[in-house]
Amino acid sequence: MEKNRVDPKPGEVDDHMKWVHDSSLDHKGRVPLRASTGSWKASLFIIAIEFSERLSYFGIATSLVIYLTKVIHQDLKTAVRNVNYWAGVTTLMPLFGGFLADAYLGRYTTVIASCIVYLMGLVLLSLSWFLPGLKPCDHANICTEPRRVHEVAFFLAIYLISIGTGGHKPSLESFGADQFDDDHVEERRQKMSFFNWWNCGLCSGLILGVTIIVYVQDHVNWGVADIILTVVMAFSLLIFLIGRPSYRYRAPTGSPLTPMLQVLVAAISKRNLPYPSNPSQLYEVSKSNGKNERFLAHTKKLKFLDKAAIFENEGNLAEKQSPWRLATVTRVEEMKLIINMIPIWVFTLPFGICASQTSTFFIKQGAIMDRKIGNGFEIPPASIFTLAAIGMIVSVAIYDKILVPLLRRINGNERGINILQRIGFGMLFSVITMVVAALVERKRLEFVEMNPSKGSLSMSVFWLAPQFLIIGFGDGFTLVGLQEYFYDQVPDSMRSLGIGLYLSVIGAASFLSSLLITIVDNVTGKNGKGWIGKDLNSSRLDKFYWLLAAITTMNLFVFVFFARQYSYKNVQKVAVADCYEGKSDDGGAETKV
């Protein structure tokens, strides 16, 4: 076995190093000059705007359950359900935004348009607090029931932010990864680190969002915090625009779903044709006509789809045949990639359900515990979320700077370990998190039973620190791994949509979390005291956490089974190669020679 890479001829080396030949363009529509575009010099501008977006998002998201219960006066179950609905919509919208970016608008344009929508939401959020006609009450301190118009304005504002996030998240992250050339050894390794440091920037925004912004919400007012978020977001958009000359751009390629439908139609229409004796008889365009397209090696899995690449009439030129009747091997393999992703997507959902507890029940637990430190300073409830971000930063730094270099020397894999191994390792931490959370909640309820008048206020909020740190550590493996997996393994024309698929794991998990809460409440409520009461002291969250621990444990075994069967995308330069044995995870095809 050997990697089927084509080395440039000696006379081509300088040209290959000077220019970027990966179908990207510079801001004037020319082939990009490597020295002045892309790589870290461009990515820093992109990470800066991600920092401000996450500052805004987490400044709102982590305090949302507090706002809904304290200002809008919703009960715990309704508030948690609304938070999960909003989080679900916010993380499912990127599927639509990613599709628009890949197919029609382009990633750069989509980022700018979505930032404008995001800013509209932040402005409306600010106005809903200060504008007399939209304020919750005339006297906020004694407000027992907010005006209906305030609820409408508030929910409209946060869902505008959802729409903005829907275009911003998939487009910006894939645009950042586009700044690195996969065919350049140094830049390919830099891209592997990009997702790690992208998440460090994300976590830095998160930390400020759940400390400074949440402190302003708690000790000044919510409106001032919204104004700060609006100003920071507008300033970061300006920084992003300043970086325009240094970016590498990719033109939209039309709907990425059409070629998949063409493969399916062609395979069905030729279902009665015999398989060719040699895979080299399947149709693939020549490299000279490939327009810098990366070819995928043929695999034995899902052989039914291979029939889409069979010639029906050898006398007709393949180029003149309808794509609805004849597909290339690369298009067939792209279809296989998407189908193979389905079980991976499904069996990462329980991890997302565990992660969704951090911004709902975990935060609400912190709100009714002793949060005082030092000389009477009281930590805002949402600020405890900082520990999850710290855990994520630590795990990413350890992975990128210690584990990857060490594992590269041991096994020769550019990534250290393959992507699904990284994801599975992080999922183990979600199980540990739920076990720890269940034990801590049982301890909190014991404090309430011993001293009903004071309740859990006699218990320090730092009892929650282990569960936040552990889930953050798991995020550094699973969430970062999922970002890299869905960007790297989707067809090249679907990379924004790939990031949307990653985010949809979190979105779908939020909806599933709400559904699970409803089911658990209905089932346990029939037998007397339900697990989810009107407040935490009348609930049995410890049992709910044990249920999540059991679900995630069983799910982990199923995930490992499918991960072991998975074949990674195999890129080859000579069409048509056949890839039966290798499971490459570093961008090159392993082919029989």
Side-chain angles (χ1 to χ4, degrees):
M1 302 291 291
E2 74 177 40
K3 301 286 173 69
N4 192 11
R5 294 192 185 278
V6 177
D7 294 325
K9 296 177 182 178
E12 297 175 345
V13 173
D14 290 341
D15 182 67
H16 176 74
M17 294 296 294
K18 184 177 180 181
W19 304 96
V20 181
H21 297 287
D22 65 349
S23 77
S24 60
L25 303 169
D26 67 9
H27 71 292
K28 293 184 178 179
R30 304 169 301 190
V31 174
L33 186 64
R34 191 178 302 279
S36 60
T37 64
S39 192
W40 288 115
K41 70 181 74 65
S43 296
L44 293 177
F45 289 102
I46 297 168
I47 290 175
I49 194 170
E50 172 65 6
F51 164 84
S52 67
E53 190 276 332
R54 291 292 88 182
L55 172 72
S56 299
Y57 177 80
F58 282 103
I60 295 167
T62 52
S63 295
L64 187 55
V65 70
I66 306 296
Y67 191 92
L68 293 177
T69 52
K70 283 191 173 182
V71 179
I72 299 186
H73 298 289
Q74 293 182 345
D75 61 66
L76 178 62
K77 282 186 287 189
T78 304
V80 169
R81 195 177 295 119
N82 278 326
V83 171
N84 281 327
Y85 287 155
W86 178 73
V89 170
T90 303
T91 43
L92 285 176
M93 278 299 294
L95 287 173
F96 179 67
F99 175 80
L100 285 180
D102 286 336
Y104 304 112
L105 300 179
R107 289 156 195 165
Y108 178 78
T109 302
T110 305
V111 170
I112 294 174
S114 59
C115 281
I116 292 171
V117 175
Y118 205 118
L119 278 168
M120 289 169 59
L122 289 173
V123 169
L124 181 56
L125 204 58
S126 303
L127 292 176
S128 72
W129 187 265
F130 289 110
L131 203 63
L134 297 179
K135 291 174 65 174
C137 298
D138 291 326
H139 304 286
N141 292 333
I142 56 172
C143 184
T144 57
E145 186 176 348
R147 293 190 180 106
R148 183 67 179 170
V149 68
H150 173 76
E151 288 189 48
V152 172
F154 176 79
F155 280 105
L156 178 60
I158 64 173
Y159 277 98
L160 274 174
I161 291 170
S162 290
I163 295 171
T165 303
H168 185 281
K169 282 295 291 179
S171 306
L172 188 68
E173 188 165 356
S174 55
F175 186 61
D178 285 345
Q179 305 308 310
F180 302 91
D181 181 6
D182 280 322
D183 294 326
H184 188 270
V185 175
E186 183 181 352
E187 290 194 15
R188 187 168 65 250
R189 288 196 171 190
Q190 288 174 345
K191 180 188 280 190
M192 294 174 191
S193 291
F194 166 76
F195 289 101
N196 295 325
W197 296 108
W198 167 273
N199 281 277
C200 284
L202 180 157
C203 286
S204 298
L206 186 160
I207 289 171
L208 289 181
V210 300
T211 51
I212 295 175
I213 300 302
V214 168
Y215 180 84
V216 173
Q217 292 169 346
D218 207 42
H219 291 81
V220 185
N221 64 52
W222 297 85
V224 172
D226 296 334
I227 289 174
I228 294 172
L229 296 178
T230 305
V231 172
V232 171
M233 190 68 185
F235 183 68
S236 66
L237 177 58
L238 179 62
I239 292 175
F240 179 72
L241 292 172
I242 291 172
R244 183 172 177 266
S246 64
Y247 300 143
R248 296 173 189 169
Y249 304 83
R250 291 181 187 268
T253 55
S255 173
L257 304 181
T258 302
M260 294 182 193
L261 186 59
Q262 290 172 340
V263 168
L264 193 59
V265 169
I268 293 173
S269 66
K270 293 185 280 189
R271 62 189 179 278
N272 295 322
L273 293 181
Y275 289 104
S277 57
N278 191 326
S280 64
Q281 295 174 336
L282 297 173
Y283 171 59
E284 182 64 280
V285 297
S286 65
K287 185 175 183 296
S288 59
N289 295 329
K291 299 178 182 179
N292 290 321
E293 180 181 356
R294 300 200 301 169
F295 296 106
L296 299 184
H298 176 258
T299 60
K300 279 186 174 180
K301 292 186 177 181
L302 301 170
K303 288 184 67 176
F304 167 76
L305 294 173
D306 290 343
K307 293 192 174 185
I310 296 176
F311 290 100
E312 289 182 281
N313 188 340
E314 296 289 348
N316 291 337
L317 289 174
E319 289 79 3
K320 292 184 178 180
Q321 293 195 34
S322 167
W324 295 94
R325 297 291 299 176
L326 180 65
T328 65
V329 169
T330 293
R331 293 289 175 259
V332 171
E333 292 302 319
E334 288 177 345
M335 183 68 173
K336 292 180 183 180
L337 283 174
I338 297 301
I339 293 174
N340 286 331
M341 282 182 168
I342 294 173
I344 301 300
W345 186 91
V346 169
F347 294 112
T348 51
L349 289 174
F351 177 87
I353 293 174
C354 292
S356 69
Q357 308 313 311
T358 59
S359 58
T360 52
F361 286 131
F362 284 13
I363 297 295
K364 195 61 182 174
Q365 284 174 282
I368 59 172
M369 297 172 76
D370 179 17
R371 294 178 278 115
K372 292 180 180 178
I373 57 172
N375 297 321
F377 176 78
E378 191 170 61
I379 305 170
S383 294
I384 193 71
F385 199 87
T386 304
L387 295 172
I390 292 171
M392 188 174 185
I393 290 174
V394 170
S395 66
V396 165
I398 291 173
Y399 179 79
D400 192 69
K401 295 301 181 183
I402 299 175
L403 289 181
V404 171
L406 179 63
L407 291 169
R408 276 176 182 164
R409 288 196 293 269
I410 294 172
N411 59 26
N413 189 326
E414 267 190 322
R415 296 185 189 276
I417 56 175
N418 69 46
I419 303 176
L420 293 180
Q421 287 174 336
R422 178 178 186 174
I423 293 170
F425 184 65
M427 290 170 72
L428 180 62
F429 287 96
S430 68
V431 178
I432 300 171
T433 300
M434 290 299 106
V435 171
V436 171
L439 295 173
V440 171
E441 176 60 9
R442 181 61 242 168
K443 186 70 175 178
R444 190 191 68 79
L445 290 174
E446 289 175 3
F447 271 84
V448 174
E449 291 170 4
M450 289 188 295
N451 190 351
S453 61
K454 194 172 183 181
S456 52
L457 286 174
S458 57
M459 184 177 181
S460 172
V461 73
F462 289 104
W463 277 84
L464 300 177
Q467 63 202 60
F468 275 101
L469 286 169
I470 295 168
I471 195 67
F473 207 83
D475 286 349
F477 287 91
T478 296
L479 291 187
V480 180
L482 283 171
Q483 290 170 30
E484 192 171 359
Y485 170 76
F486 282 110
Y487 176 87
D488 186 72
Q489 294 298 303
V490 296
D492 291 355
S493 61
M494 292 179 61
R495 283 181 158 170
S496 294
L497 192 55
I499 298 298
L501 285 170
Y502 145 68
L503 292 165
S504 72
V505 171
I506 310 301
S510 294
F511 283 115
L512 286 175
S513 180
S514 289
L515 178 62
L516 185 61
I517 289 169
T518 301
I519 293 172
V520 167
D521 186 41
N522 289 335
V523 171
T524 59
K526 291 178 181 178
N527 301 320
K529 184 180 178 182
W531 290 3
I532 314 294
K534 288 188 176 181
D535 56 52
L536 290 181
N537 292 340
S538 63
S539 302
R540 287 304 304 269
L541 274 189
D542 56 325
K543 293 183 178 180
F544 181 66
Y545 291 153
W546 280 118
L547 175 64
L548 288 180
I551 291 172
T552 48
T553 300
M554 292 185 290
N555 175 78
L556 182 57
F557 286 106
V558 181
F559 175 83
V560 169
F561 171 79
F562 280 99
R564 288 175 66 86
Q565 310 302 315
Y566 186 83
S567 295
Y568 291 88
K569 179 198 285 187
N570 286 280
V571 178
Q572 50 90 21
K573 298 291 186 181
V574 180
V576 170
D578 200 18
C579 182
Y580 292 158
E581 297 182 3
K583 285 192 175 184
S584 175
D585 182 22
D586 59 5
E590 291 185 355
T591 60
K592 287 185 177 181
V593 179

